[in-house]
Amino acid sequence: MEVFNTLGRTRQVFEPRDPGVVTMYVCGPTVQTSPHLGHGRAAVVFDVIRRYLEWEGFEVTYVQNVTDVDDKIINAAAERGIDCDAVAAASFAEFDEGYRKLGVKAPTIEPRATEHIPEMIDMIGSLIASDHAYASGGDVYFSVRSFPEYGKLSGRRIDELESGARIDPGEHKQDPLDFALWKAAKPGEPSWDSPWGPGRPGWHIECSAMSRKYLGGGFDIHAGGIDLIFPHHENEVAQAEAAHPDAPFCRYWLHNGMVNLAGEKMAKSTGHVVGLLDALETYPPTAVRLFYLRTHYRKPVEFTPEAMDDAVASLERLWAFRRRVTGPVEAPPDEQLIDRFRAVMGDDFDVAGALGVIFDAVREGNRLLDAGEDPGGVVAAFDEMTAVLNLPAPDVGLGDVADGLVELAGAYGIEAGSGDEDLVDALVAARQSAKTAKEWDTADAIRDGLAALGVVVEDTPDGARWHRR
RNA sequence: GGCGACGUGGCCGAGUGGUUAGGCAAGGGUCUGCAAAACCCUGUACCCGGGUUCGAUUCCCGGCGUCGCCUCCA
């Protein structure tokens, strides 16, 4: 298995720190506003990587942090006249809903910055003790020049950074490159006591401190958006390795590409976004998930209605195939398909390639079914592969069609009272009678009526079947 | 300006030094009362210019273009 490691910008053989165990830290959201489609992509992409690793037999500890204290949360709270906790709680609820609808597995641990202030203070303290940081005017800054390897993750050199850097008013840096580990509290801001006075942590320190706490030194995978490489992840490396020079901070850095809209990156700071929850209302969540998964995780993707229609149609092909097979599948998964799946997934998580294998399975399975042969092994492989990607089949339940259904049934003399599904079965049977009598108009009217309710009737050699659209 | 990524057929999108990715859409056919689904067939794809090679879309150099980072950002 090989992965592209941002640290070194090369493809490397994946060898976890401890055999059979993978420790992952994913940069989670700053719970400041509503999630957009970009947040969803990061979550889905790393969720699939996690599920794949678990499928390969690794025991995965998946940590995703929640940044619940930061300048923008404070500003948003001030603007809206509510407190920071309320801003964070409302935003977190939306992220959580979005992740859940997208089928993202809950993190093993989901630590919040505000619940790990002592750990951060400890780390800051040891950085000061080792001269990698200094207190200044109630703030504490990391001294970038004290860490010679600074820039190794993002491929920057300190001297080049120097020219563009500057010190903002109110900061007390010794060097423009230095960044805040601890910010002195201003009036009205949330704050915690510290050896340097009341204040709050800088952004970067939480990930170094919390990953250390839950995953230890030299954990396996640190993941996040490609836009976090600099400065966030660069700073994390510097802090963590300066505080613990004995071992590298983490072994593999994985970064996902951005979601673009009209050719430009979605970004909450510019308002150039499509809300995640809005998209999940407009499109089936599994189709949104598939939209993310069609493109390799490191590449940018363009969000367009056409791309979504495409994803919806592709998904329908998947499930149209799966609907053809009823009853339990007992055959072992087709080995050739599984081998191909494993090969592409182990090749820097080529999920687009994996989808190619899945669609090949669909064609082969359909061909076998048409030929009257047993597609068991292909179906078993299909089920296994789609489970790894977590592309769940839609609910077959009727949902909210009940009212129109009773009316339609009545029109054909079918008594309400039994369950909705029985009603549909009765209507399908009525259509079958009409077909037998060659009353095509009636048969088609029933089918059209059901279609209008979102129930699709399809004829097969074994009789008519129906499913929810 | 510095650093980095990318440029594949109508659209999306994997991949490879020489033999089919895949999806969506389109055309033809089979099946079917019709429809849907499905299967089969079709469309001579790799930004441009050099170079390496028996052979490059696939490696190297240059150019053009798009995007990202260089401030907060998944």
Side-chain angles (χ1 to χ4, degrees), chain A residues 287-306:
Chain A
V288 178
R289 190 172 168 100
L290 182 61
F291 161 73
Y292 290 138
L293 262 20
R294 299 190 315 165
T295 308
H296 186 89
Y297 74 92
R298 257 186 294 110
K299 284 196 167 183
V301 296
E302 177 77 20
F303 177 81
T304 61
E306 292 74 23

Side-chain angles (χ1 to χ4, degrees), chain A residues 275-413:
Chain A
L276 178 60
L277 266 23
D278 293 339
L280 291 172
E281 285 299 314
T282 309
Y283 303 101
T286 308
V288 178
R289 190 172 168 100
L290 182 61
F291 161 73
Y292 290 138
L293 262 20
R294 299 190 315 165
T295 308
H296 186 89
Y297 74 92
R298 257 186 294 110
K299 284 196 167 183
V301 296
E302 177 77 20
F303 177 81
T304 61
E306 292 74 23
M308 286 308 309
D309 292 346
D310 206 276
V312 169
S314 303
L315 199 59
E316 178 51 32
R317 175 165 165 79
L318 256 30
W319 302 130
F321 163 63
R322 194 56 186 80
R323 278 194 301 267
R324 295 183 71 183
V325 183
T326 52
V329 176
E330 278 159 23
D334 182 279
E335 276 183 39
Q336 219 178 338
L337 288 167
I338 296 296
D339 287 350
R340 286 177 59 203
F341 180 78
R342 172 170 283 122
V344 292
M345 287 298 288
D347 181 12
D348 195 28
F349 313 110
D350 179 10
V351 177
L355 286 168
V357 178
I358 288 173
F359 280 103
D360 281 347
V362 168
R363 191 187 323 98
E364 177 64 6
N366 274 322
R367 201 186 58 73
L368 290 169
L369 284 163
D370 285 355
E373 294 174 41
D374 176 18
V378 172
V379 177
F382 173 91
D383 286 350
E384 190 157 335
M385 295 185 290
T386 51
V388 173
L389 303 189
N390 193 24
L391 296 171
D395 275 343
V396 290
L398 285 166
D400 52 2
V401 302
D403 287 351
L405 191 58
V406 170
E407 197 177 320
L408 185 67
Y412 293 94

Side-chain angles (χ1 to χ4, degrees), chain A residues 159-365:
Chain A
D159 294 335
E160 286 170 353
L161 290 166
E162 187 77 77
S163 61
R166 60 196 178 90
I167 300 178
D168 286 329
E171 293 185 319
H172 308 283
K173 296 176 182 178
Q174 292 172 1
D175 186 303
L177 290 178
D178 295 347
F179 58 88
L181 297 169
W182 189 259
K183 297 182 177 187
K186 293 179 198 140
E189 289 183 355
S191 70
W192 290 262
D193 286 331
S194 82
W196 318 286
R200 59 195 165 89
W203 176 33
H204 316 295
I205 193 70
E206 67 179 81
C207 293
S208 300
M210 296 193 295
S211 65
R212 183 86 197 177
K213 174 173 181 178
Y214 294 107
L215 302 176
F219 63 92
D220 297 310
I221 295 174
H222 193 130
I226 205 167
D227 56 347
L228 296 181
I229 294 174
F230 189 89
H232 182 50
H233 289 163
E234 191 69 63
N235 291 352
E236 280 186 47
V237 176
Q239 293 161 350
E241 296 190 355
H244 298 278
D246 46 304
F249 176 42
C250 88
R251 299 165 69 82
Y252 304 95
W253 287 89
L254 269 41
H255 289 101
N256 68 277
M258 300 290 99
V259 177
N260 292 162
L261 185 63
E264 271 178 43
K265 172 187 164 185
M266 269 192 203
K268 64 188 173 195
S269 58
T270 55
H272 181 65
V273 297
V274 173
L276 178 60
L277 266 23
D278 293 339
L280 291 172
E281 285 299 314
T282 309
Y283 303 101
T286 308
V288 178
R289 190 172 168 100
L290 182 61
F291 161 73
Y292 290 138
L293 262 20
R294 299 190 315 165
T295 308
H296 186 89
Y297 74 92
R298 257 186 294 110
K299 284 196 167 183
V301 296
E302 177 77 20
F303 177 81
T304 61
E306 292 74 23
M308 286 308 309
D309 292 346
D310 206 276
V312 169
S314 303
L315 199 59
E316 178 51 32
R317 175 165 165 79
L318 256 30
W319 302 130
F321 163 63
R322 194 56 186 80
R323 278 194 301 267
R324 295 183 71 183
V325 183
T326 52
V329 176
E330 278 159 23
D334 182 279
E335 276 183 39
Q336 219 178 338
L337 288 167
I338 296 296
D339 287 350
R340 286 177 59 203
F341 180 78
R342 172 170 283 122
V344 292
M345 287 298 288
D347 181 12
D348 195 28
F349 313 110
D350 179 10
V351 177
L355 286 168
V357 178
I358 288 173
F359 280 103
D360 281 347
V362 168
R363 191 187 323 98
E364 177 64 6

Side-chain angles (χ1 to χ4, degrees), chain A residues 45-113:
Chain A
V45 149
F46 297 123
D47 179 61
V48 165
I49 288 174
R50 173 203 192 162
R51 288 171 185 271
Y52 169 68
L53 291 168
E54 289 175 341
W55 178 72
E56 288 286 19
F58 292 104
E59 180 192 326
V60 178
T61 302
Y62 191 95
V63 177
Q64 183 176 76
N65 66 299
V66 177
T67 302
D68 57 353
V69 55
D70 128 300
D71 288 354
K72 295 205 170 160
I73 295 175
I74 292 168
N75 293 342
E79 270 175 36
R80 286 148 67 178
I82 54 179
D83 65 32
C84 289
D85 290 349
V87 171
S91 171
F92 179 79
E94 292 190 23
F95 274 93
D96 198 54
E97 181 183 349
Y99 293 159
R100 213 176 48 246
K101 285 183 172 168
L102 284 170
V104 174
K105 199 166 173 175
T108 317
I109 303 164
E110 195 165 29
R112 288 161 178 266

